[in-house]
Amino acid sequence: MDRIRIQAWVACAAVLGALAACAPIKPAPAPAEPAAARPSCTAAVAGDPLVGNWLSVSSQRGVAGSVRRLYTLNSDGTMNYVEQVKRPRTPSQGLDESGCWSHEGQTLILRTLESNGSSVNLDDPIYTNRYRVDRANATDLRLSGPDGAVQARRMSPGYRLPF
C-alpha cells in the first residue's frame, strides 16, 4: 500500500513538472516611459499685489455649512489652493491642489499640477482656471470666475485652514 502511494506521488510530481515546463513565460515588463516634463513656474513681477495668502469663506446654496478656500500665491510663481467644506458635527472634507500661477493683465491663471498629492493630466482643461481680477489691494481680493464671484481677505504668511 505504501509503495502505491509513493508511486502516485512520483507520478503527480512528474505531471506537475511537465505542466510547469509548458507554462508560458511572461516577458519582462517594458521599461517605464520617462515622465512628461512638468511645466516650471515663472516668478511673479516684483510687487505684484496678488502675492500672499487669500482666504474666502462663503456659503453655497444646497450645502450645509461653509466653504473655505485658501489661495496661496507665492512670489516664485508656485501656488497652493485648498478648499474645505466645514459642516456642523461632521469632519471637514477638502481638496488640496498645487501648481503654478500667473497674473496677466486683469486675469489670474491657476494651473494645477498636483491634486491631493497625485499628478494630474496636464491636457485636461479642468486643471487650468482663469479669474478676472476685479480688485486687489493690501487687504482684499475680488475675483470673477466660472463659478461666480470670489471675495477673499489677506491672511498672514504661513496661514493654514483649521480642521
Side-chain angles (χ1 to χ4, degrees):
M1 191 76 141
D2 288 328
R3 187 173 179 192
I4 294 174
R5 281 189 192 165
I6 293 173
Q7 288 176 343
W9 279 105
V10 170
C12 284
V15 169
L16 288 176
L19 287 175
C22 295
I25 298 173
K26 291 184 182 179
E33 292 184 25
R38 307 299 282 171
S40 60
C41 301
T42 304
V45 174
D48 192 316
L50 297 182
V51 172
N53 284 332
W54 299 97
L55 176 65
S56 169
V57 180
S58 62
S59 321
Q60 288 185 347
R61 187 179 199 151
V63 177
S66 62
V67 177
R68 299 174 183 200
R69 294 179 183 96
L70 180 64
Y71 302 84
T72 301
L73 308 177
N74 299 308
S75 60
D76 65 357
T78 60
M79 70 92 184
N80 194 33
Y81 169 78
V82 179
E83 183 175 277
Q84 182 184 79
V85 178
K86 195 100 165 135
R87 296 185 186 115
R89 299 173 305 280
T90 307
S92 299
Q93 293 177 308
L95 175 68
D96 187 352
E97 297 186 339
S98 60
C100 300
W101 73 280
S102 61
H103 184 192
E104 299 171 4
Q106 289 302 108
T107 304
L108 168 64
I109 303 167
L110 303 179
R111 177 91 191 260
T112 299
L113 303 178
E114 288 188 0
S115 181
N116 290 335
S118 298
S119 294
V120 300
N121 177 356
L122 298 176
D123 295 328
D124 191 336
I126 195 170
Y127 295 113
T128 301
N129 294 287
R130 296 176 182 277
Y131 298 92
R132 187 179 76 229
V133 179
D134 297 327
R135 181 164 139 187
N137 60 36
T139 58
D140 298 309
L141 177 64
R142 292 191 184 164
L143 306 171
S144 298
D147 298 328
V150 175
Q151 294 185 1
R153 68 181 191 268
R154 186 180 296 274
M155 304 304 287
S156 62
Y159 176 83
R160 304 256 187 244
L161 287 178
F163 281 89

